[in-house]
């Protein structure tokens, strides 16, 4: 097994495509290594230095070294467990090599009297008295001494099960040799990049790739590992440029599409004017501004592609309602989609409250509707009688045919996958047009990410909360002081207030989650049921309610409605209420095991209170059972220190890093493999300047560049 030489161990290369694919070819496919260039761009994770031999007398404990030695003794041992024990001597000292898995071939290669090379981590063995008992290596890599020492570092590639490094290395080198590596950067226009990365002259792609696949041993390994080497700079620049180009191209492609022109009707009997007049509040300046931005887009013949970001409670729903009115006034249908049933239901109710009195027919679409109810809704949508369609993912299912959809609003866009967003946009295709698309999010995107990932998206920002809100006070409370907290809730209830009590999501076990929430529910009922509270002029007995994802949709609805109307004073819940729920009288949010939640999730939850005029509080209950991790402490600290969603997003990015930050919100979208937005800002800025220039002046180079890096995947970036 280990006594293999990479040259001989390989069978065919992956280019022989005519016979049925081998296990290894399938594995390559799984890694998305289909084209020669994909193989060439499959870069090592790390390197091993097999270029020289270390003498045992010069080595230290814990070092990974390669020795050349004579086998003195080679014997299988069966106690305490089956193993092959090999004594070797390199002339300066001795060492014992141990193998727990071995084949006869290895035993043969390690026969006494053979000279071998062994590479592995050196451990200082202990004898019975705990003293140094000589060197050992566990499962070292064995090579024969007849091979000459390699002159380059040995690359170790990211791989999958069933694909050996030797095969992969061979395939990558073959791909590298065959691939077209000609330059796609604009000729003679590389100086801006040089300036942004320092004094090194820019490497060509060919040089950079050849180098990274076989670096010479004299380069500091660190510059390869942390991607600061000029060869890495070139690759990161290439990757970022491809990302920027593909987004520019998507924007261009969209510019050639048509969308219905939706002009606002400001006449007295338009829905838009009437809704504005009936709202119980004045729009904030920020709301008026973003409405104008959105309506400007909707009047164009190019489909809108805009993200509205605004902190929790900043009033995005009313903006959506107003622009929906503009769409309906123009005689077109509008769809509003939310990620969860509860949230969609909330929107539905709110829009119904606002729009039904104005004579708008609204259809409601969700996954678990009764057949008849659903059929009726579908008919309303298809005939165009329903001008407004609200629902969950059910809105984009194939069976849903719109009469004339012109505007789609997606709330909490990061909860929807790319494919779903594309499906929504396809809903008007049959008329040769696309609907306008407005996405909304309460998790603002930090600037570097916005520049990199959302270059094809126009941004509107609600940077102001409606007036009269008292800021939410956030407190950390040790779970041991739970009783005091319950007592405080009792006092609040007596004053007519309502509270949320959120129990954590324990990912491994939904059942455990439920038990947790159910237990809390029982405890709180024992303590609080029957406390007298006021509702309007009435005095009623407080009730505790329980909401979790396993409940039937109808029960969830009833419980939410009871809470909204004040019949339930304390709502115990798993995280189903995470986004968008709006009950103004609720002024206390308790989050149990707050240390287990992500930062943006905590912020979203906190945003459920502080929606009315009463002073609101958020209590983060934490347990220090196994001690809090540093990141958990950082998250809780951030929560106490700031209420500002943008600041929270910035800290979240800092704590988690961009990969994970984005990973949570855009499933499936092409990620950066090499560049790191935390450190490669200068390169990103360069790519942003370079991309439009290249696209404009050298469109063929630009097209080749995107093809090389993204192949067929760039379609996804359009969503
Ligand atoms: P979010 O941006 O989190 O979706 P919502 O749209 O749910 O926020 O709005 C939060 C609350 O603020 C709602 O009760 C809404 O009716 C209210 N609201 C929205 N705009 C204003 C405003 N300009 N003045 C007062 N209250 C407002
Ligand atoms: Mg909302």
């Amino acid at each position: 097994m280990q006594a293999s030489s990479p040259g001989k161990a390989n069978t065919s290369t992956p280019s022989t495509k005519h016979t049925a694919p081998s296990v290894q070819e399938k594995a390559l496919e799984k890694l998305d290594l289909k084209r020669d260039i994909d193989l060439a761009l499959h870069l090592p994770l790390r390197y091993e230095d097999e270029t020289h031999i270390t003498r045992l007398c010069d080595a230290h404990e814990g070092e990974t070294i390669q020795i050349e030695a004579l086998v003195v003794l080679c014997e299988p041992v069966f106690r305490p467990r089956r193993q092959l024990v090999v004594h070797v001597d390199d002339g300066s000292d001795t060492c014992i090599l141990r193998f727990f898995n071995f084949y006869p071939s290895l035993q043969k290669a390690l026969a006494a009297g053979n000279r071998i090379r062994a590479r592995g981590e050196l451990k200082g063995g202990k004898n019975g008295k705990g003293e140094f008992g000589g060197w050992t290596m566990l499962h070292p890599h064995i090579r024969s001494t007849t091979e000459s020492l390699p002159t380059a570092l040995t690359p170790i590639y990211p791989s999958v099960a069933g694909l050996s490094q030797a095969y992969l290395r061979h395939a990558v080198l073959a791909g590298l040799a065959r691939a077209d590596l000609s330059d796609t950067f604009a000729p003679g226009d590389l100086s801006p990049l040089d300036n942004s990365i320092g004094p090194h002259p820019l490497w060509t792609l060919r040089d950079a790739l050849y180098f990274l696949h076989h670096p010479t041993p004299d380069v500091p390994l660190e510059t390869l590992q942390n991607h600061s080497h000029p060869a890495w700079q070139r690759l990161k620049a290439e990757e970022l440029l491809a990302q920027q180009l593909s987004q520019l191209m998507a924007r261009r492609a969209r510019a050639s599409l048509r969308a219905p022109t939706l002009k606002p009707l400001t006449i007295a009997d338009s829905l838009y004017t009437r809704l504005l007049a009936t709202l119980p509040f004045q729009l904030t300046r920020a709301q008026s501004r973003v409405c104008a931005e959105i309506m400007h887009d909707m009047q164009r013949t190019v489909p809108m592609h805009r993200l509205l970001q605004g902190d929790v409670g900043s009033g995005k729903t009313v903006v959506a309602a107003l622009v929906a009115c503009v769409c309906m006034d123009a005689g077109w249908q509008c769809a509003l989609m939310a990620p969860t049933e509860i949230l969609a239901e909330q929107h539905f109710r709110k829009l119904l409250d606002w729009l039904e009195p104005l004579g708008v027919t609204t259809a409601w679409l969700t996954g678990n509707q009764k057949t008849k109810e659903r059929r009726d809704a579908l008919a309303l949508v298809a005939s165009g009688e329903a001008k407004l369609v609200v629902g969950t993912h059910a809105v984009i299912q194939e069976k849903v045919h719109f009469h004339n959809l012109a505007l789609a609003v997606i709330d909490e866009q990061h909860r929807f996958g790319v494919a779903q967003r594309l499906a929504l946009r396809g809903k008007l295709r049959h008329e040769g047009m696309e609907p306008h698309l407005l996405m909304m999010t309460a998790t603002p995107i930090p600037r570097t990410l916005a520049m990199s990932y959302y270059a094809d998206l126009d941004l509107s920002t609600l940077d102001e909360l409606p007036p009269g809100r008292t800021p939410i006070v956030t407190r950390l409370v040790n779970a041991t002081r739970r009783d005091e907290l319950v007592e405080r809730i009792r006092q609040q209830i007596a004053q007519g207030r309502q509270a949320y009590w959120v129990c954590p999501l324990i990912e491994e076990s939904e059942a455990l989650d439920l038990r947790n929430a159910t237990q809390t529910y029982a405890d709180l009922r024992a303590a609080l049921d029957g406390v007298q509270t006021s509702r309007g002029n009435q005095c009623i007995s407080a009730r505790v309610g329980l909401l979790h994802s396993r409940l039937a949709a109808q029960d969830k609805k009833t419980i939410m409605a009871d809470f909204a109307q004040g019949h339930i004073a304390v709502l115990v819940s798993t995280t189903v209420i995470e986004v968008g729920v709006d009950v103004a009288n609720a002024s206390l949010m308790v989050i149990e095991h707050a240390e287990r939640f992500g930062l943006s999730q905590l912020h979203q939850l906190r945003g459920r209170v502080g929606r009315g005029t009463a002073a609101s509080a958020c209590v983060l209950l934490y347990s220090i059972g196994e001690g809090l991790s540093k990141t958990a402490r950082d998250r809780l600290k951030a929560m106490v220190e700031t209420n500002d969603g943008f600041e929270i997003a910035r800290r979240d990015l800092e704590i988690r890093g961009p990969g994970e930050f984005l990973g949570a919100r855009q499933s499936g979208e092409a990620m950066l493999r090499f560049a790191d937005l935390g450190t490669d800002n200068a390169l990103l800025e360069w790519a942003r300047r370079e991309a439009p220039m290249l696209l404009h002046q050298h469109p063929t180079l630009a097209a080749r560049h995107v093809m090389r890096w993204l192949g067929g995947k760039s379609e996804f970036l359009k969503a």
Side-chain angles (χ1 to χ4, degrees):
M1 49 155 220
Q2 313 203 340
S4 67
S5 77
K8 277 180 277 166
N10 296 301
T11 50
S12 63
T13 65
S15 63
T16 44
K17 282 270 147 79
H18 303 297
T19 49
S22 67
V23 176
Q24 309 219 310
E25 283 169 334
K26 276 193 206 140
L28 286 182
E29 195 127 325
K30 202 153 143 205
L31 284 171
D32 240 342
L33 302 179
K34 299 190 183 114
R35 307 169 302 166
D36 290 335
I37 188 70
D38 297 331
L39 287 161
L41 293 175
H42 191 63
L43 289 175
L45 270 182
R46 58 187 178 83
Y47 301 91
E48 284 178 356
D49 188 349
E50 294 174 310
T51 59
H52 62 272
I53 304 292
T54 306
R55 276 156 36 108
L56 281 167
C57 64
D58 298 331
H60 302 281
E61 157 105 53
E63 261 182 313
T64 297
I65 57 163
Q66 179 168 247
I67 57 172
E68 200 168 292
L70 181 71
V71 179
V72 181
L73 176 71
C74 172
E75 59 175 2
V77 170
F78 295 92
R79 249 164 238 150
R81 57 185 273 212
R82 181 175 179 267
Q83 53 182 290
L84 187 65
V85 176
V86 183
H87 294 248
V88 299
D89 185 338
D90 79 344
S92 79
D93 203 345
T94 59
C95 182
I96 294 175
L97 318 180
R98 275 180 214 284
F99 302 86
F100 289 113
N101 288 309
F102 60 95
Y103 293 102
S105 58
L106 182 71
Q107 209 172 329
K108 197 165 149 227
L110 291 173
N114 285 1
R115 279 192 78 77
I116 50 119
R117 273 181 213 141
R119 186 174 185 283
E121 192 184 340
L122 199 62
K123 294 273 190 211
K126 299 269 156 50
N127 67 13
K129 292 184 222 144
E131 296 158 344
F132 181 78
W135 295 116
T136 66
M137 275 188 191
L138 189 61
H139 283 258
H141 203 88
I142 302 298
R143 285 183 191 283
S144 111
T145 50
T146 54
E147 287 172 50
S148 52
L149 284 175
T151 51
L153 299 177
T154 311
I156 306 294
Y157 293 100
S159 188
V160 290
L163 190 59
S164 70
Q165 282 294 326
Y167 183 90
L168 186 54
R169 206 170 292 153
H170 194 79
V172 164
L173 295 187
L176 182 67
R178 284 191 304 256
D180 166 19
L181 301 177
S182 57
D183 224 292
T184 45
F185 282 13
D189 200 44
L190 301 169
S191 46
L193 178 58
D194 289 351
N195 290 340
S196 55
I197 64 166
H200 308 286
L202 188 78
W203 287 40
T204 64
L205 179 64
R206 169 180 295 278
D207 288 349
L209 283 177
Y210 271 90
F211 176 81
L212 290 175
H213 287 294
H214 343 246
T216 45
D218 56 332
V219 278
L221 257 183
E222 205 179 289
T223 64
L224 296 177
Q225 233 66 284
N226 67 15
H227 294 189
S228 64
H229 191 278
W232 270 118
Q233 297 290 336
R234 169 69 196 219
L235 280 166
K236 294 193 287 190
E238 289 254 334
E239 178 178 47
L240 287 165
L241 183 63
Q243 187 197 38
Q244 293 297 315
L245 278 174
S246 78
Q247 299 201 29
L248 278 182
M249 288 171 171
R251 184 181 278 273
R252 276 204 174 174
R254 199 155 44 77
S256 67
L257 297 172
R258 324 252 340 134
T261 328
L262 308 171
K263 281 206 170 47
L265 292 181
T266 43
I267 49 175
D269 64 347
S270 72
L271 287 172
Y272 175 72
T273 316
R274 284 155 67 210
L275 175 58
L276 258 187
T278 51
L279 283 178
F281 48 74
Q282 286 257 306
L283 294 187
T284 62
R285 243 174 319 160
Q287 283 170 321
S288 304
R289 190 190 67 240
V290 304
C291 276
E293 287 166 4
I294 296 165
M295 283 162 9
H296 176 263
D297 281 2
M298 287 165 43
Q299 290 177 61
R300 301 179 56 214
T301 53
V302 173
M304 167 165 69
H305 196 219
R306 187 172 281 277
L307 179 68
L308 169 58
Q309 50 178 358
D311 209 343
V312 257
S314 59
K316 295 183 289 293
T317 318
V318 70
V319 172
L322 284 166
V323 300
C325 283
V326 170
C327 170
M328 295 185 283
D329 277 332
W332 294 82
Q333 283 176 305
C334 171
L336 181 78
M337 221 163 69
T340 66
E341 181 126 8
I342 289 197
L343 187 52
E345 168 91 21
Q346 286 252 333
H347 283 310
F348 185 63
R349 262 177 214 289
K350 193 149 223 169
L351 294 171
L352 227 55
D353 279 354
W354 284 334
L355 298 173
E356 206 164 45
L358 309 181
V360 174
T361 306
T362 307
W364 167 242
L365 280 177
T366 156
N368 38 32
Q369 251 169 333
K370 295 219 178 65
T371 323
K372 160 129 183 28
E373 201 185 331
R374 184 169 174 77
R375 204 166 46 222
D376 292 350
L378 286 177
L380 284 177
V381 178
S383 70
E385 194 181 335
K387 282 268 173 284
L388 182 64
V389 183
V390 184
T392 56
H393 296 93
V395 169
I396 47 167
Q397 270 158 15
E398 261 168 59
K399 275 167 273 167
V400 184
H401 298 288
F402 286 88
H403 176 64
N404 62 355
L405 179 70
L407 171 66
V409 182
I410 305 183
D411 199 13
E412 300 303 338
Q413 57 91 24
H414 62 271
R415 296 289 204 90
F416 287 95
V418 177
Q420 290 162 333
R421 277 184 264 157
L422 281 173
L424 189 49
R425 288 173 55 192
K427 281 293 180 194
L428 198 63
R429 279 269 167 80
H430 61 279
E431 301 192 10
M433 289 202 260
E434 286 215 9
H436 295 285
L437 185 57
L438 176 66
M439 294 168 265
M440 308 201 289
T441 181
T443 318
I445 300 154
R447 199 180 107 82
T448 38
L449 294 192
M451 276 180 1
S452 174
Y453 284 93
Y454 294 90
D456 178 38
L457 207 56
D458 297 305
L459 268 186
S460 286
T461 305
L462 284 175
D463 49 8
E464 178 186 8
L465 292 180
R469 303 257 170 93
T470 32
I472 305 165
V473 178
T474 303
R475 291 219 192 298
L476 286 178
V477 174
N478 193 316
T480 52
R481 293 174 52 201
R482 213 180 154 96
D483 292 348
E484 287 167 53
L485 180 63
V486 173
E487 184 48 37
R488 202 171 134 216
I489 294 181
R490 169 197 287 277
Q491 291 162 13
Q492 296 256 318
I493 295 176
Q495 290 164 24
R497 306 252 67 92
Q498 289 171 271
Y500 294 98
W501 189 298
V502 178
C503 299
L505 189 86
I506 302 163
E507 272 179 17
E508 312 86 75
S509 158
E510 211 182 319
L512 220 72
D513 263 9
L514 197 57
R515 194 162 72 213
N516 193 332
T518 315
Q519 186 58 48
T520 305
Y521 171 61
D523 293 350
L524 290 178
R525 280 192 66 177
L528 301 173
D529 257 356
V531 174
Q532 293 304 298
T533 177
S534 58
R535 282 290 167 269
N537 305 325
Q538 283 177 310
C539 195
I540 63 167
S541 281
R543 250 175 65 202
V544 180
L546 174 64
L547 190 67
H548 57 80
S549 50
R550 293 257 188 97
L551 289 176
Q554 188 52 48
D555 295 341
K556 283 189 206 164
K557 251 185 231 180
T558 313
I559 290 169
M560 272 321 290
D562 281 355
F563 188 60
Q565 286 156 26
H567 302 311
I568 288 176
V570 179
L571 184 64
V572 178
S573 145
T574 52
T575 35
V576 283
I577 60 158
E578 186 190 339
V579 281
V581 174
D582 185 26
V583 176
N585 192 50
S587 56
L588 181 63
M589 166 65 66
V590 180
I591 304 175
E592 200 164 311
H593 281 298
E595 74 279 3
R596 294 191 193 160
F597 289 83
L599 186 50
S600 75
Q601 214 182 3
L602 287 173
H603 181 64
Q604 294 264 358
L605 284 168
R606 173 169 63 183
R608 300 307 114 218
V609 295
R611 305 204 143 206
T613 44
S616 293
C618 173
V619 174
L620 304 175
L621 272 180
Y622 65 93
S623 319
I624 38 177
E626 294 104 53
L628 289 184
S629 69
K630 163 135 177 32
T631 55
R633 274 203 310 272
D634 286 350
R635 291 194 298 261
L636 296 177
K637 185 156 169 279
M639 282 295 288
V640 175
E641 286 173 0
T642 179
N643 258 320
D644 176 351
F646 283 86
E647 177 61 18
I648 293 273
R650 202 187 56 72
R651 297 227 196 160
D652 201 18
L653 178 64
E654 220 170 75
I655 296 172
R656 290 200 284 162
E660 237 187 290
F661 184 94
L662 280 168
R665 63 210 62 213
Q666 36 185 130
S667 35
E669 227 149 303
M671 285 287 189
L672 291 171
R673 289 148 66 195
F674 306 134
D676 174 348
L677 295 180
T679 51
D680 296 325
N681 238 307
L683 287 175
L684 175 59
E685 295 281 1
W686 168 83
R688 266 166 57 87
R689 287 192 307 271
E690 187 74 5
M693 194 283 298
L694 193 67
L695 193 57
H696 188 69
Q697 293 177 14
H698 305 280
T700 356
L701 285 182
R704 254 178 52 211
H705 189 79
V706 169
M707 207 47 208
R708 170 179 286 170
W709 275 88
L710 298 171
K713 278 175 282 188
S714 53
E715 169 69 16
F716 252 170
L717 288 168
K718 291 182 196 157

